[in-house]
Structure formats: structure tokens, C-alpha cells
Amino acid sequence: MGARFLFIGTISLCLVPASDCAHAQDAQGSSEVLPAIEVVSPGTAARPARSRNAPRTGTRNLRRVLVYPTAPTPTAGSGLDVDKVPASINAVGAGQIARTGSLNIADALQQQVPGIIVSDTTGNPFMPDIQFRGFVASPVAGTPQGLAVYQNGVRVNEAFGDTVNWDLIPTAAIRSVTVVTNNPAFGLNALGGAVNVQMKNGFNYQGAEINTMGGSFGRIQSSAQWGKQIDNFSVYGALEGARDNGFRNFSESTIRRFYGDVGYRTDSSEFHLNMGIAKNNFGAAATVPVELLQNYWGATYTMPQTTANRVGYVNLTGKVEATPTWTIEGSARVRVFEQRTVDGNPTATQPCAADPLLLCFNDDDVPANGLNGVQLANPFLDTAVLGQIDRTTTRSTTTGATLQATNTDQLFGHNNQFMVGASFDSGVTRFGANAEVGTIGSNYVVNGSGIHLGPSGEPISIGPVGLRATNRYSGFYAQDTFDVTDAFSITGGGRFNHARIQLEDQIGTALNGEHTFTRFNPMIGGTYKITPALTAYAGYSEANRAPTPLELACADPARPCLIAAFLIADPPLKQVVSRTIEAGFRGTKELGIGTLGWKIGAFRATNADDILAIPSPELQGFGYFQNVGRTRRQGIEAQVNLTSKTLQLYASYALVDARFLDALQVGSHSPFADENGNVQILRGNRIPAIPRNRIKFGVDYSVTDAFKVGGDALFVDNQYFVGDESNQAPRLPSYAVFNLHTSYQVNKKLQIYGRVDNIFDNRYATYGTFFDTADVPNFANGGAPFADARSLSPARPRAFYAGLKATF
């Protein structure tokens, strides 16, 4: 298949004076989308913007410019003049987050960033997969992660599987989120880009707010935040809680999280101590066979499936203007994370053919052993349907530090901004897993028997796991932006990554291993201001992802493991390398009714040695990780934002074309798999679970100063099922969903609001895969075998919510 190149464009409109565009994009007017700095006109950067009451020094001609992050620094206001960034710009502010009425940051990102969609792999709305340009940041262990995520400059991809637990970030405390592309300074995992979350503090948020909402499916949620500045000191705190019963059986959720910040700053320095804790519990219902969904949209399959997340962290950050042109900033952090999962599944445990009073595993002549290594007796009735309850515990402690220096001295008489930095992160994880044999009832709940499986199978593919994994990630990066002329700027740099991963088996020796991955990732780009209202940009960059401890411990096709549970072997995997190019135009135009801002561009990202999770053709729920050669993601994006005092509107379109570039054979439960359970991938086949087309629209209108109404819509194109890498099966259908919301400002302090999600009660699914139809009977059809191998994650039906917000 011939090479393809697809074009991306983004258009944004802002109907206010240019200097206020950052405020105007915040629908609630609570904060800037992008922070501002003061610079010496017409330079590139100088110092953070002072507070309104801080004295000014000197007589320099200062102007305010918006800045965009170019490295994972902890301080808002650090970065590069947005006009000189040689990449696409994607920013979401606190007001846009508040507009969604959601405790889930993914909802605002899906609305405001054209290339982002959300899929519900877990079956729980608080544990979403965020997909940007075909790259994923997911809480699901075993999902190949392609986005780096930072909170206040601290990497929050978890140490064991690079997973991202979005539920641990309090949305009320978020000041802004930027999705940064084409920049290797953000380190490992930034194949598709980096999500950079900046939190509020008492310097940029003053006052108090209490917000409570309730509605369908037992949802009740509340948040409270308070911030205050006292001379050079500040304090901020946010507390959130929610309970949701879910629309599916056994899918209840409980959210409890806190974020706090204490700050101190002078005219030339700023320091913050921030901390957070969270204790969240989820009933993650996962996918369910379509035959069960046809009977009841809230159906579940092989329960229980629960997740309990706990986190506590402390970060110390600082920024010092050492001289008028040298700025030093750094951070030190510690994070403790614990996750416990309980997962009911079908089992390969079965009565032995030769002696039904004994249990075998996978084959009817291979013993199923207990924890003592002795073959298990069969205590179950002949009519029992056997299953197993898999339990995992993950405990990670990560520490790290970052140090960065920025210089804005002129170079050869031209404005120049130079940045150099280093980061170090160390993580120690203790992972454990065990399996309890039980029986599956007619409601698909697995009831435990107290019998636990020891090492079983030929080769051994299940048994207790005890693993200690140590990650040590080091990075050294530099970047320079040089103004060739007042209109033409060139940016170049790179980052050297060093990753060392050590695995220590706590039970035997099969998981022992040590792996080292190194790479230098360059970047180069430039911007040219063709006219005062039109800028062109172009850039090229590379990024890499080291295999995670989870992937390294489950990479043998001959010895598949239950993903994220029963790790078996430790063969080598190659690191993934991504090469990205993007180019485009953006600009501003003063109109009679305000300011028009727009951008249009193109990108292509090609991965070498991409890693996928491959299902085992022998064992349902088991699989392994494999390098699958080259893959490519490219697409089209277009966006419009219109803002005035009475009207706020956005619309966007994105096309993402994701394909395999090498032929290979992989295991699958697809009905089109061959007799060995494999499908053949051909060059040019589309990568599953990545829809090509996404259309978004939203509007807010102020009927009066107090009364507002609005709505939003989302269309997502069809996609191939996970497991259909050969593109032979019918696709997961496209879907469209429409939402409405309204608010009324009773007085300066009180606001009542409401919203209706999925107003047309559309029944659709955001994720689809295949399952083994022979594992468990269709109890809803009298115990007959399942006939359809498709398994879906159903989306939430129509829901009504109402709330009250008080500000002080």
C-alpha cells in the first residue's frame, strides 16, 4: 500500500481583545487557560508575571505574552512565547473543566481537544482511557501507554505499568491542562505527546466555592475549594467526593480526594509545597457479550471486578530568578500508590479426564496444583460451571527530582531563550497475585471456594506471583529558541533518556531480570511570522518508550499470562521509538466584533518496534506482549472557538488514520481466526480501537445576565474490534451523543444548574473486543452456548443531574 500523508488543521476564534484571549476561553471566567509572563519588548521571555500588588522595578518596556510549556517544569508561567512554539497548541482552562460539571478531567479534554476521544475499557466512567491521535493514557494494566502525563511537573504514569489513574487528580484544583506535542523534553512515553496538568494555588485562586450535584443512577458529588494570599504567602485546598451506583450491575463508585498547596514568593522567587491524598473504590464492569446486552443494557459478565486505588504524595517546587536573565527551577517529590483488584474470570481449571475427582488445568490431563504443589481434588458438582477469582496487589513508592535552568541573554545580538535540565525518578514496586477457584452462578458472579491455585499448566502459566520491580529513569535535556529575525525563530534540542529496570522474583527465579534502555531523542523546528496576523510553524521530533516491568515479565508467547496478574517469563522486548513531523499555520485577526484566532497544520507519527498486548489463542484472558514492527498514526484536525459576552461556541473535526506497516501473525479470539487461533496482519491494516473520524460541537448562550443555556454533541466513527487486527470482522458501529445544560445565577453567591446527558438515550459502545464463546454458558438463553463472540463496553444511557454552587 502506498504511503499516505494526511493534513491537520485547527481554527480558533476569540471575540475579545487579544490580550484577554486567555481569560475569554474560560467560560466561567475563573482563570487563564495559558499563564502569562512579562517580557522586554520585543524579546522572548524574561520573568513570571507579578501579582497585581507587587511593586514594579526599573523602567523597562514590558508586555504580557502567553506561554506554552516546553518541559515538565513545576511552575506555571515557565515556557515559551506561544507564537514561537513549533507544534500544535492545545489548552484547556479551569472554566472549560467546570462547564462539564464532571469530576472527570477526561470529559473536558474530549470536548476541547480535537484529537482526543475517551473510551470506557473498564466499564467505569471514573477510569477512562484517554486517546490522543491514536496514542493512549489508560488506567488499565496491560494497555501499551503512549502519552506521558505530568501534574505540576511531576510524572504521574505509575511505576509498574506506566498506567495513568485519572481518578486521583481532583478536577476542582486544576488550573489548566495542555497537550504538548513534538517535544522529547517530556521524557519517556511521550510518543504521541504529553498531558501537562497545572494545579491551582493561593496566588492564582482566591476565594471559596462549594459545589454539590446529584442525579441519575444514585450520583451525588460535592467539591469545595478555598484559596487565599496573605502578603508573600498563599494557601489553597480542594476536597472532592462522589458516589455513583452506576447504570450496570455491580458498577458502583466512591471517590474521595484532596489537594493542598502552601506557597511563598517574592519579586524574584517562588516556592510551593503541595500534597494530595485519594481513596477511591470502583466496580469496574468491563465488557459484556452482545447477547447479554440485547436482553439488558446494564448486564455484566464474570463478576466481581473491583478496583481500590490509594495515593499520597508530597512535592516541593521552587523557582528563583538568579539574575535578570537566568532562572533556576526545580522540584523534589515522593509518591506512594497502592492498588488492589478483584477480578472474576472464566478458568482453565477443569475435572481431569482420567479421574474426575481431581482437577486439571488447561488440558484434561495436566494437573491443577494447590499452593503446596499437590494436585487439587475436585469438590465441585458435575453440573458446576467453574471460574476463578484473580486478586492482585500493587504497591509503588516513587521518588524523584528535577532541576532546570533557563537563560534569556541575547546571542549575537539576537533574542534567544536557552533551557537545560535534568530529571531523575526511582520507583520500587511490590506486586502480588493469586487465583481462587470457584463456581459461576447464573448471574455470572464467581463464588469462591477457598481453593487457591499453585503453579499449574504445561508450561506453567498460573500460580502465585511475588515480584519486586525497581525502575530508575534519568533524563538530560536542552532546548534553544533563537530569533533569527523579529519574525523568524528556530528551536532545536533533545533529550537523553536512560532507563534501568530490575525484576526480582520473590517466590522463585523465573521473573528475575535486568534491562537497560538508552536513547537520545532530537527535535528541531521553527516559526515564521509571515505577517503580524499569520505565523507558520514546522517541527520534527523523536521519542521513546521503554518496556514496563509488567510487559517485560509477560513477553513469552509460549508461556502466556493473565495480563496484570500471573506473570511468568522474562524474555527481552525492544523499546518503542516514535518519529513525528508536523507543520502548519496559525494567526490572529482583529475584527469589528473582536479578535479572530486560528491555526491549521499537519502531523505524522511513525513508531518502530511498537508493543501490543496479544491474546493467547489457548487460554481465555491470557496473553503476552510483543513487538509488532512499525505502525503509523496520522490525521486531520480542525477546530473553531467563538467567544463573546453572550455566546461561546466550539466545533471541531479530527481524522486519525492508524495503520500497521509490517505484516505479522498474532493470536486472537476473532471468529475469523484460523484453526490455531491466529489472524494475519497485512501491511496497511488499520489498528483496532482507533476511530477515524470525530466531530464535536458545543454552545453556551446567555439568555440574560443570569440565565444561560447550552449543549454539546459528539460523533465518533466506527472502529475495528480489539482482536481484529486483520480487519476481517464487522466494525464497532459509529455513535452520536447529545447533551444539554443550563444554569441560573440566583445572586452573586448562588448558582443553580442542571444537565441532561445523552438526551436521545442512544445505546452505543465506546470499546469492543472478542471473547471465547465456549468458556461460560449463556444463562440468559437457558444455558445454551454463546453464538456471538463480540463483547462491548456499553455507554451510559440518558441521565439527569442538578446542582447548587456557592462562591464566596
Side-chain angles (χ1 to χ4, degrees):
M1 182 174 293
R4 301 182 179 182
F5 188 81
L6 297 178
F7 193 66
I8 307 188
T10 302
I11 302 175
S12 57
L13 287 78
C14 185
L15 299 182
V16 296
S19 62
D20 294 327
C21 268
H23 295 274
Q25 292 185 49
D26 183 343
Q28 307 298 323
S30 59
S31 71
E32 294 177 334
V33 174
L34 291 175
I37 61 171
E38 289 181 342
V39 302
V40 182
S41 184
T44 53
R47 63 181 69 199
R50 299 177 179 85
S51 64
R52 294 177 181 177
N53 298 325
R56 295 184 179 272
T57 60
T59 58
R60 296 184 301 172
N61 181 22
L62 297 177
R63 65 184 179 94
R64 288 169 63 85
V65 299
L66 304 182
V67 296
Y68 202 67
T70 54
T73 52
T75 308
S78 298
L80 187 65
D81 182 344
V82 71
D83 283 337
K84 300 179 181 181
V85 175
S88 177
I89 303 295
N90 300 286
V92 179
Q96 293 164 321
I97 297 171
R99 177 186 179 275
T100 66
S102 172
L103 293 186
N104 187 350
I105 181 58
D107 293 331
L109 290 174
Q110 179 168 249
Q111 286 185 0
Q112 301 297 331
V113 180
I116 284 183
I117 60 167
V118 173
S119 62
D120 198 6
T121 307
T122 65
N124 189 291
F126 296 103
M127 301 177 67
D129 283 10
I130 290 182
Q131 184 189 113
F132 174 64
R133 295 181 177 178
F135 295 92
V136 178
S138 169
V140 179
T143 300
Q145 310 287 338
L147 297 173
V149 181
Y150 289 84
Q151 178 182 332
N152 277 356
V154 176
R155 177 184 165 94
V156 295
N157 295 78
E158 303 296 349
F160 190 55
D162 283 337
T163 54
V164 180
N165 293 288
W166 301 101
D167 63 282
L168 302 178
I169 305 176
T171 54
I174 296 175
R175 187 190 185 199
S176 67
V177 183
T178 49
V179 183
V180 183
T181 65
N182 214 35
N183 191 335
F186 285 84
L188 295 172
N189 281 93
L191 303 179
V195 180
N196 189 52
V197 181
Q198 287 290 340
M199 310 297 283
K200 297 174 183 175
N201 58 59
F203 292 126
N204 54 48
Y205 181 93
Q206 287 96 41
E209 178 187 279
I210 300 174
N211 192 347
T212 299
M213 186 187 80
S216 298
F217 311 114
R219 168 74 67 87
I220 180 70
Q221 66 182 49
S222 292
S223 67
Q225 59 178 325
W226 175 78
K228 187 175 180 63
Q229 179 178 351
I230 307 171
D231 297 326
N232 290 358
F233 293 89
S234 72
V235 62
Y236 173 83
L239 183 67
E240 290 183 336
R243 182 176 179 84
D244 189 303
N245 292 333
F247 74 96
R248 297 174 65 188
N249 298 333
F250 314 109
S251 61
E252 63 279 356
S253 303
T254 304
I255 300 284
R256 289 152 291 192
R257 55 198 185 195
F258 166 81
Y259 176 83
D261 180 279
V262 177
Y264 172 82
R265 76 176 177 189
T266 67
D267 188 49
S268 61
S269 64
E270 184 170 347
F271 299 91
H272 289 271
L273 179 68
N274 53 71
M275 68 293 293
I277 56 174
K279 182 180 181 182
N280 303 334
N281 296 289
F282 306 105
T287 63
V288 62
V290 293
E291 292 175 71
L292 297 181
L293 289 177
Q294 290 167 357
N295 294 325
Y296 174 48
W297 194 246
T300 53
Y301 181 70
T302 61
M303 304 302 292
Q305 292 179 6
T306 63
T307 301
N309 288 339
R310 309 286 186 267
V311 75
Y313 55 87
V314 178
N315 308 317
L316 176 64
T317 68
K319 182 176 183 178
V320 177
E321 187 177 305
T323 73
T325 58
W326 275 102
T327 300
I328 310 296
E329 51 193 317
S331 66
R333 59 265 186 182
V334 60
R335 176 184 176 95
V336 179
F337 170 72
E338 178 181 287
Q339 182 179 77
R340 295 177 180 269
T341 68
V342 179
D343 187 6
N345 287 300
T347 185
T349 306
Q350 57 189 294
C352 297
D355 187 352
L357 297 179
L358 296 176
L359 292 176
C360 287
F361 187 82
N362 196 30
D363 290 312
D364 57 14
D365 60 351
V366 177
N369 300 318
L371 298 177
N372 59 1
V374 177
Q375 186 172 6
L376 293 170
N378 181 9
F380 304 108
L381 298 175
D382 294 341
T383 56
V385 178
L386 300 188
Q388 69 186 46
I389 301 175
D390 302 309
R391 297 178 175 88
T392 72
T393 301
T394 306
R395 296 186 180 93
S396 298
T397 300
T398 57
T399 57
T402 299
L403 184 65
Q404 178 179 304
T406 303
N407 176 262
T408 56
D409 280 317
Q410 287 196 337
L411 184 63
F412 305 119
H414 295 257
N415 291 317
N416 188 76
Q417 180 169 310
F418 173 71
M419 172 190 71
V420 61
S423 66
F424 175 78
D425 291 278
S426 176
V428 177
T429 300
R430 294 186 179 275
F431 175 84
N434 64 79
E436 179 185 4
V437 181
T439 58
I440 301 178
S442 59
N443 59 354
Y444 294 99
V445 174
V446 182
N447 300 293
S449 64
I451 300 173
H452 289 79
L453 285 170
S456 303
E458 289 184 0
I460 293 174
S461 54
I462 200 167
V465 174
L467 176 67
R468 185 181 189 271
T470 303
N471 315 52
R472 288 189 173 88
Y473 300 148
S474 302
F476 305 90
Y477 58 91
Q479 183 173 299
D480 187 86
T481 298
F482 177 74
D483 290 0
V484 180
T485 68
D486 289 343
F488 181 35
S489 300
I490 296 177
T491 298
R495 177 174 174 129
F496 176 78
N497 290 322
H498 181 277
R500 180 175 177 269
I501 302 169
Q502 184 176 7
L503 305 178
E504 300 173 79
D505 197 326
Q506 304 298 290
I507 297 177
T509 60
L511 297 178
N512 288 345
E514 186 171 326
H515 308 265
T516 300
F517 303 92
T518 61
R519 196 172 198 280
F520 176 75
N521 296 312
M523 70 88 63
I524 189 168
T527 60
Y528 182 72
K529 211 165 187 61
I530 301 170
T531 71
L534 174 62
T535 299
Y537 72 88
Y540 170 83
S541 69
E542 299 180 6
N544 72 304
R545 177 173 87 83
T548 68
L550 171 60
E551 293 167 338
L552 290 168
C554 183
D556 190 346
R559 306 178 70 192
C561 14
L562 189 64
I563 299 297
F566 301 106
L567 309 181
I568 300 300
D570 184 29
L573 286 172
K574 299 177 182 178
Q575 63 182 338
V576 184
V577 176
S578 180
R579 296 172 174 86
T580 301
I581 185 171
E582 57 181 294
F585 301 89
R586 55 175 173 255
T588 59
K589 178 70 174 178
E590 290 292 338
L591 303 176
I593 55 175
T595 301
L596 169 70
W598 61 273
K599 57 182 180 179
I600 187 169
F603 80 94
R604 169 184 282 185
T606 302
N607 285 5
D609 297 314
D610 213 349
I611 296 176
L612 291 184
I614 307 298
S616 167
E618 300 293 332
L619 296 173
Q620 171 68 20
F622 284 68
Y624 55 93
F625 296 95
Q626 178 179 325
N627 291 113
V628 295
R630 296 174 301 143
T631 61
R632 183 182 63 209
R633 295 157 178 84
Q634 56 186 4
I636 299 171
E637 294 175 347
Q639 182 178 18
V640 175
N641 292 297
L642 178 64
T643 303
S644 69
K645 282 189 176 181
T646 58
L647 178 66
Q648 296 161 24
L649 176 148
Y650 71 87
S652 69
Y653 168 76
L655 184 151
V656 176
D657 182 74
R659 298 181 182 272
F660 295 98
L661 298 183
D662 292 318
L664 71 156
Q665 191 176 76
V666 296
S668 174
H669 292 291
S670 165
F672 292 88
D674 62 22
E675 62 275 9
N676 297 317
N678 296 315
V679 294
Q680 178 66 46
I681 298 176
L682 301 177
R683 174 182 167 83
N685 280 5
R686 283 175 51 187
I687 301 174
I690 302 179
R692 285 173 60 88
N693 299 290
R694 311 106 188 263
I695 301 173
K696 307 171 187 180
F697 174 81
V699 61
D700 283 278
Y701 179 70
S702 298
V703 181
T704 68
D705 289 342
F707 179 44
K708 297 181 180 180
V709 296
D712 55 82
L714 170 68
F715 169 81
V716 176
D717 202 359
N718 58 56
Q719 56 190 284
Y720 285 100
F721 281 73
V722 173
D724 187 26
E725 286 78 9
S726 60
N727 296 177
Q728 294 174 279
R731 304 174 193 178
L732 181 68
S734 60
Y735 61 88
V737 60
F738 300 84
N739 311 308
L740 294 175
H741 57 266
T742 185
S743 66
Y744 181 76
Q745 197 72 33
V746 179
N747 53 43
K748 290 184 178 180
K749 294 184 177 181
L750 293 179
Q751 180 190 94
I752 56 175
Y753 61 91
R755 81 173 203 249
V756 184
D757 291 346
N758 194 4
I759 58 175
F760 297 117
D761 201 24
N762 187 17
R763 303 301 168 96
Y764 64 97
T766 61
Y767 178 85
T769 186
F770 299 114
F771 76 110
D772 190 333
T773 57
D775 274 342
V776 180
N778 185 348
F779 295 117
N781 191 26
F786 283 99
D788 193 328
R790 295 175 299 162
S791 186
L792 308 180
S793 182
R796 181 167 288 215
R798 181 168 50 224
F800 300 86
Y801 304 98
L804 174 67
K805 181 166 64 176
T807 56
F808 307 94

